[in-house]
Amino acid sequence: MRITIGMKLAFGVGVIVVLMAISSVVVYNAMAQVEQAASDTAEKAFPTEVACKELRAALNNSLSALQGYMSVGADPDEAATLKGERAKAWTQIDDALGQLAALSKEWTRAEDRQDLMTIRQAASAFRATQNRIEQIAQRSDNNRGYHIMLTDAAPKSQRMLDLVTAIINEEVRQTDRESQSRLLAALLDARASLNSGMSSMRAFLLSGDESFTERFDESWRQNGEALPLVAEQMPLMTVEQKRNWDIFVQVRKDLDALTADMLQARRADDWNRAAHLLRTEAMPQRQTIRDAVERLNTSAEQWVAQDRASLAEAAKVANVTLVVSMLLVLLVGSGVAFMMGRSIVISAQRLAERARAIAAGDLRGEEVRVQGNDEIADLAGTFNTMTANLKELSGQIHSVTKNINSSASEIVASTQQQAASTKEQAASLSQISTTMEEISQSGEQVSENAKRVAVAAEEASTSSVAGVKAVKDTNATMEAIREQVEEVAENIVALSEKTQAVGEIIATVGDIAEQSNLLALNAGIEAASADVRGGRFGVVAAEMKNLADQAKRCTVQVRSILGEIQKGINTSVMLTEEAVKRVEMGKHQADVTERTIDQMSQATQESVQTFQQIIGATNQQQIGLSQVNQGMQDIRQAAEQTAIGTSQLEKAAASLDALSQQLQTAVGRYRL
Amino acid sequence: MSAKRTNLDWPDIRRRLKASDQALDRAMRPDRRRIELAYERRARELAQRREQQPMAPGRLHLVCHLLQERYAIDARQIAEIVPMRGCSPIPGAPEMLLGVTSGRGEVWSVISLRSLLGLERESATIGGLLLLLRNCPGVGVRVDGADDLKWIADADFSAPGDTLRAELAAHCRGVTPDGLIHLNTDDLPLTNDGDIPA
């Protein structure tokens, strides 16, 4: 079986890979434990601790707010602020309890879950107790003794004070007698002791200091001793004073009972109900919660400690595994590499020694023998084959080199001739190319000129089209003029005919004038023959003659005017006829112009087409010339390249000759 | 070639046409005031004519003409002036007889005054006027035209002189300063012993 270097390498690498895989698995497991521990710590233990701390802080805040409300809640602004803080603290408590409830799903200890339940129950009771305290803290009946003072005792003492003050004031207004001074002193004592006693009672109710009760007792006793003294002096009182004093005494009795109640109320444990509730219920509840939270927190801390221990253990295992695996890999890898390298190096050294001998020119040595059937053995066999072939090749090269020398000399001579003829060819091509360039430039000029002429012809064609249109418009206008002129002529002829009618009328009038003239002459003749009797008739005849003469003159004038009118009509008709003829001539000329323009336009179009054909032919000629020129260029380049190639060939032939000499010299170095 | 015409002022032409139309329209309309003015003018002329009645002795003459010559004939010698509407020549009649014509049922002989006075004889078909003479009933002398009746004083006629032709001088009684030839129809040989039909 053939075991190649690759298989050996693969075996070694495989061993290393297996060792690394084993160590990786171990390390992976260890890291998994670490990850799990870290996860537990991060997601379960720490959040529990944090929630417990938040719960404790919120509980303290709620209690502080409640106590603050109990102290300064009388102020509405302070009360609102403190209530808000307590509500906010309870919101935090609810959030913390919610977090703990969510985290409790991951807890493993039943005691922790039990503690959480205890906390929730206690918190609920604590909340209710705080609410009750808040409700009663600022009520007047929270402090029972003080409530009795405010509602009952204080009004009564004030009443007593007013009564005794009234009595005193009345007494002061009386005449200053020695007997009444005793009454006044007693009254003053009663009032002073009453004030002192009430003050002491208030102080005791507020502070609870028993020393104030002693002062009260003393003041109340003094007040009681003042009563009989005043009673003795009652005959000195006025009716009003007496009535007031009676009321004073009665009210004192009522107040006396109240003082005992106030003292008792103050001395009781629940003298302040809110504080009592706080002390007896709220604080124990808070403690219960705190204890449970503490246990929960302790459990969480233990959990964290366990997780840390697991983390440390897992890390330690991972480190050890990693170090051991690295050492194993190192040892195994080194052993495999050494063994494999050794076998490869020995074979390579043998091959290198043989290669050096061959490089020195000695092809006579024996074959290189290598054990094994791997790539190195293949390389040795191939090297031996190469050596044998090299020996054979050197012999062949030696004989061929001689032939190459002679052929190279012949090639050099031929290439020299070819180079000379190629240069001549390139010179001729250059001349032809220059000539083609000149022809191409001429063609371009012709094309440009043809384009300019074509453009001008196009413009002329456009102008002729416009001219034809103008001529047609002129024709139409002239036709319209002709029609109008003919219409004018017809109107004039109609006028002439009417003039003729007027002439006939004038002729009739002339006839009448002649006849009238004749009649007048006859009348005159008859009048002349009648002598005197014909005088009036002669006047009539004369008038008739006059009228006939007027008619004749008017007829002459009208005839003259009619003659002028007729002349004018004739002239107008002649002018009209002439105008029509001129219009006809103009129209004819316009038609001729139109035909001429059409012919010019056609000629221009034909010229344009011809020029365009010229342009096309010229362009094609240019293209052809360009192609010819390009071809000439290519031929010239090819000739130049041929010349260059021939020159290079000549050089190559010379160098070939030189190389063959060198080859012969080099081959001669090898000893066969 | 006529001078080059400038462009017509058509607005002016239209104004002139409009003015002509208005003038014609006014002329065609019967104007009472115009008639009254004519009567006033007539009355003034009549008054002037009466004032201008010649006092010198004379007679009313008919002024007529033959070709270029103008004659004055005593109005009393003329019975009537009738227009000549054709004249039928009589064959074999004397030269001075143009022919005969008819009118109002009467036939008149037409004498060529031109022939009598030595002028070129006119054609029988020519028109003109026929002067019917009182002294020769049924005979009339043809004249080319009758111009006017004019009062000519006797003293205005002067001797004819030697320049008149013989035929005319034979029948001329006198010549006025303005060239009227006094012609006396009584002197005219209007009868020829039966050649002229009466």
Side-chain angles (χ1 to χ4, degrees):
Chain A
M1 178 184 173
R2 176 185 167 84
I3 300 173
T4 63
I5 294 175
M7 292 170 69
K8 295 175 185 175
L9 285 172
F11 175 74
V13 170
V15 170
I16 293 170
V17 167
V18 166
L19 288 173
M20 289 184 71
I22 293 168
S23 64
S24 297
V25 168
V26 173
V27 171
Y28 177 78
N29 289 332
M31 294 306 295
Q33 291 178 4
V34 169
E35 186 180 351
Q36 181 64 35
S39 174
D40 287 344
T41 302
E43 294 178 5
K44 297 170 189 171
F46 278 142
T48 304
E49 278 190 56
V50 170
C52 290
K53 286 180 183 170
E54 288 177 355
L55 182 61
R56 276 203 296 268
L59 286 169
N60 292 334
N61 289 338
S62 69
L63 195 60
S64 299
L66 180 64
Q67 287 172 335
Y69 177 77
M70 289 168 65
S71 299
V72 298
D75 182 30
D77 294 335
E78 292 290 337
T81 303
L82 292 166
K83 284 183 180 179
E85 287 179 4
R86 197 172 77 83
K88 183 178 173 186
W90 274 105
T91 303
Q92 291 172 351
I93 292 168
D94 292 336
D95 290 341
L97 288 174
Q99 287 179 11
L100 288 172
L103 291 168
S104 67
K105 295 173 187 173
E106 302 295 332
W107 295 343
T108 56
R109 294 181 58 200
E111 293 86 351
D112 293 337
R113 284 192 282 275
Q114 182 61 42
D115 286 335
L116 179 60
M117 192 176 295
T118 303
I119 291 170
R120 294 174 75 138
Q121 290 172 355
S124 178
F126 188 46
R127 189 203 305 260
T129 304
Q130 283 192 0
N131 291 340
R132 283 164 53 200
I133 294 171
E134 187 179 271
Q135 283 176 0
I136 64 174
Q138 295 300 326
R139 279 187 0 208
S140 58
D141 61 348
N142 182 36
N143 188 337
R144 186 166 165 272
Y146 206 80
H147 179 68
I148 295 172
M149 169 63 78
L150 289 176
T151 57
D152 211 352
K156 283 186 167 62
S157 69
Q158 185 63 40
R159 176 84 170 121
M160 289 172 63
L161 197 64
D162 294 340
L163 289 169
V164 73
T165 301
I167 296 171
I168 292 169
N169 290 336
E170 180 64 26
E171 190 62 28
V172 168
R173 281 197 297 272
Q174 299 296 327
T175 54
D176 188 9
R177 295 175 297 182
E178 183 179 349
S179 61
Q180 289 180 332
S181 65
R182 289 174 61 190
L183 175 61
L184 189 61
L187 289 170
L188 289 171
D189 286 340
R191 188 171 71 175
S193 60
L194 175 63
N195 282 333
S196 174
M198 288 298 109
S199 298
S200 298
M201 179 60 74
R202 285 194 187 90
F204 174 69
L205 291 174
L206 288 174
S207 66
D209 188 355
E210 288 293 337
S211 63
F212 288 110
T213 60
E214 294 173 359
R215 292 180 194 172
F216 170 75
D217 290 340
E218 181 61 26
S219 296
W220 201 247
R221 187 186 60 76
Q222 291 175 1
N223 187 268
E225 289 175 355
L227 293 181
L229 293 178
V230 172
E232 290 177 0
Q233 304 296 322
M234 278 188 71
L236 298 177
M237 291 183 186
T238 63
V239 172
E240 184 69 22
Q241 285 177 325
K242 287 179 183 175
R243 184 169 64 245
N244 287 337
W245 180 252
D246 291 338
I247 296 171
F248 179 86
V249 171
Q250 184 62 41
V251 171
R252 188 184 182 285
K253 283 182 182 175
D254 295 337
L255 185 60
D256 192 26
L258 289 176
T259 56
D261 290 339
M262 286 190 288
L263 289 173
Q264 183 182 4
R266 182 61 180 84
R267 285 180 180 136
D269 290 334
D270 60 345
W271 66 272
N272 187 326
R273 288 166 59 198
H276 181 70
L277 274 175
L278 181 70
R279 191 172 54 250
T280 58
E281 292 185 21
M283 297 305 285
Q285 287 166 350
R286 190 193 77 158
Q287 190 60 43
T288 303
I289 295 170
R290 287 180 68 177
D291 293 339
V293 169
E294 196 59 37
R295 288 196 296 274
L296 201 60
N297 193 37
T298 303
S299 176
E301 287 175 353
Q302 290 174 356
W303 196 355
V304 169
Q306 287 176 3
D307 288 341
R308 282 185 184 149
S310 299
L311 273 172
E313 185 65 28
K316 187 177 174 185
V317 168
N319 287 336
V320 169
T321 304
L322 200 60
V323 168
V324 170
S325 63
M326 287 303 295
L327 285 174
L328 274 176
V329 166
L330 196 62
L331 286 171
V332 171
S334 299
V336 169
F338 176 75
M339 289 175 63
M340 292 180 63
R342 186 167 175 274
S343 66
I344 292 171
V345 165
I346 291 172
S347 300
Q349 281 177 349
R350 289 177 184 169
L351 286 171
E353 285 177 11
R354 185 67 183 122
R356 274 195 290 276
I358 291 171
D362 186 6
L363 293 172
R364 296 173 295 181
E366 294 180 354
E367 293 180 350
V368 176
R369 298 191 185 284
V370 174
Q371 291 180 355
N373 57 356
D374 57 4
E375 285 84 353
I376 298 296
D378 291 341
L379 179 61
T382 305
F383 183 80
N384 292 329
T385 305
M386 182 190 73
T387 304
N389 291 335
L390 189 60
K391 191 186 289 185
E392 183 182 348
L393 186 63
S394 293
Q396 290 178 0
I397 289 172
H398 197 76
S399 64
V400 168
T401 302
K402 290 180 183 173
N403 295 330
I404 288 172
N405 276 340
S406 62
S407 299
S409 300
E410 293 174 5
I411 290 170
V412 167
S414 298
T415 52
Q416 285 175 350
Q417 289 178 0
Q418 191 176 2
S421 62
T422 302
K423 283 181 183 172
E424 290 177 2
Q425 190 178 10
S428 300
L429 286 172
S430 179
Q431 287 181 355
I432 294 170
S433 179
T434 305
T435 306
M436 296 300 293
E437 273 295 324
E438 292 174 358
I439 294 171
S440 175
Q441 287 176 359
S442 298
E444 283 180 0
Q445 287 181 356
V446 169
S447 176
E448 285 297 322
N449 292 333
K451 283 180 185 174
R452 280 198 288 271
V453 172
V455 168
E458 280 288 341
E459 292 175 357
S461 176
T462 306
S463 299
S464 64
V465 169
V468 167
K469 183 177 181 304
V471 167
K472 286 182 180 173
D473 293 342
T474 304
N475 267 348
T477 305
M478 292 176 75
E479 183 64 24
I481 293 171
R482 187 183 67 78
E483 290 175 356
Q484 285 185 347
V485 167
E486 287 178 353
E487 191 176 340
V488 168
E490 286 176 359
N491 289 335
I492 292 172
V493 169
L495 283 175
S496 177
E497 291 170 355
K498 287 184 171 54
T499 308
Q500 183 181 352
V502 171
E504 290 174 357
I505 293 168
I506 294 299
T508 305
V509 170
D511 291 341
I512 293 169
E514 282 295 328
Q515 291 178 25
S516 299
N517 189 34
L518 196 61
L519 185 62
L521 289 174
N522 284 320
I525 291 169
E526 289 298 330
S529 300
D531 291 330
V532 176
R533 289 198 200 93
R536 289 187 180 177
F537 189 68
V539 172
V540 173
E543 285 189 26
M544 284 181 63
K545 185 71 170 62
N546 193 21
L547 290 171
D549 290 340
Q550 283 185 12
K552 282 177 71 177
R553 285 196 294 274
C554 290
T555 305
V556 168
Q557 287 178 1
V558 171
R559 280 209 180 98
S560 171
I561 292 169
L562 280 177
E564 291 175 0
I565 291 172
Q566 191 61 40
K567 282 184 191 172
I569 288 171
N570 293 337
T571 304
S572 298
V573 171
M574 283 169 50
L575 291 174
T576 305
E577 185 180 2
E578 193 175 339
V580 169
K581 287 180 183 174
R582 288 186 180 178
V583 167
E584 290 291 335
M585 284 174 59
K587 193 176 172 188
H588 175 71
Q589 288 175 355
D591 290 338
V592 170
T593 304
E594 183 181 352
R595 285 196 293 274
T596 305
I597 292 173
D598 280 336
Q599 290 173 359
M600 285 172 59
S601 178
Q602 286 178 2
T604 305
Q605 285 292 332
E606 290 174 359
S607 300
V608 169
Q609 290 173 2
T610 304
F611 282 123
Q612 285 176 349
Q613 290 175 358
I614 292 171
I615 291 167
T618 307
N619 289 337
Q620 287 181 355
Q621 185 182 3
Q622 287 297 106
I623 293 169
L625 286 173
S626 297
Q627 290 174 353
V628 169
N629 204 16
Q630 184 64 39
M632 298 303 293
Q633 291 287 338
D634 293 339
I635 293 171
R636 191 179 69 178
Q637 287 177 3
E640 288 175 354
Q641 287 178 1
T642 304
I644 293 169
T646 305
S647 173
Q648 290 176 354
L649 188 62
E650 183 184 356
K651 291 179 187 173
S655 62
L656 181 65
D657 188 24
L659 286 172
S660 70
Q661 293 289 339
Q662 290 177 6
L663 185 63
Q664 196 170 11
T665 305
V667 170
R669 200 176 67 178
Y670 286 96
R671 297 180 290 278
L672 300 174
Chain B
M1 184 177 292
S2 62
K4 185 177 180 180
R5 287 176 64 85
T6 57
N7 291 335
L8 289 177
D9 185 1
W10 287 105
D12 180 58
I13 288 174
R14 281 192 282 274
R15 277 196 299 274
R16 287 162 58 186
L17 281 174
K18 185 177 178 182
S20 320
D21 288 341
Q22 290 174 350
L24 183 62
D25 187 50
R26 282 195 298 273
M28 289 299 169
R29 252 185 316 208
D31 189 355
R32 182 70 190 166
R33 179 63 186 159
R34 186 186 172 92
I35 294 170
E36 288 175 359
L37 288 174
Y39 286 152
E40 288 175 5
R41 189 168 58 249
R42 171 177 172 271
R44 279 197 299 276
E45 286 175 359
L46 283 175
Q48 281 181 354
R49 210 174 298 148
R50 185 165 293 180
E51 288 172 0
Q52 291 171 0
Q53 281 287 333
M55 291 295 108
R59 288 189 177 83
L60 193 64
H61 290 79
L62 175 69
V63 177
C64 57
H65 62 272
L66 283 171
L67 296 176
Q68 303 302 325
E69 292 178 350
R70 292 170 62 236
Y71 305 97
I73 302 174
D74 191 344
R76 290 178 299 180
Q77 293 177 359
I78 300 170
E80 189 178 353
I81 305 172
V82 296
M84 229 182 97
R85 294 184 178 85
C87 174
S88 302
I90 297 173
E95 188 177 350
M96 67 175 182
L97 182 66
L98 276 177
V100 293
T101 187
S102 65
R104 300 199 301 270
E106 296 178 19
V107 177
W108 300 302
S109 300
V110 179
I111 302 299
S112 171
L113 196 57
R114 285 191 191 181
S115 298
L116 282 180
L117 298 180
L119 294 171
E120 183 181 356
R121 187 178 183 274
E122 64 269 47
S123 165
T125 59
I126 196 170
L129 296 173
L130 186 65
L131 302 179
L132 299 176
L133 302 174
R134 284 187 185 275
N135 58 355
C136 289
V139 175
V141 293
R142 185 201 164 275
V143 293
D144 291 338
D147 298 329
D148 196 4
L149 281 173
K150 187 174 180 181
W151 181 274
I152 302 174
D154 294 334
D156 290 337
F157 285 110
S158 58
D162 297 330
T163 58
L164 292 178
R165 58 185 178 275
E167 294 89 347
L168 182 56
H171 307 294
C172 174
R173 288 276 180 94
V175 179
T176 64
D178 55 355
L180 283 174
I181 302 170
H182 186 199
L183 194 65
N184 188 355
T185 57
D186 290 336
D187 295 340
L188 291 175
L190 296 177
T191 59
N192 192 10
D193 298 331
D195 290 334
I196 299 173

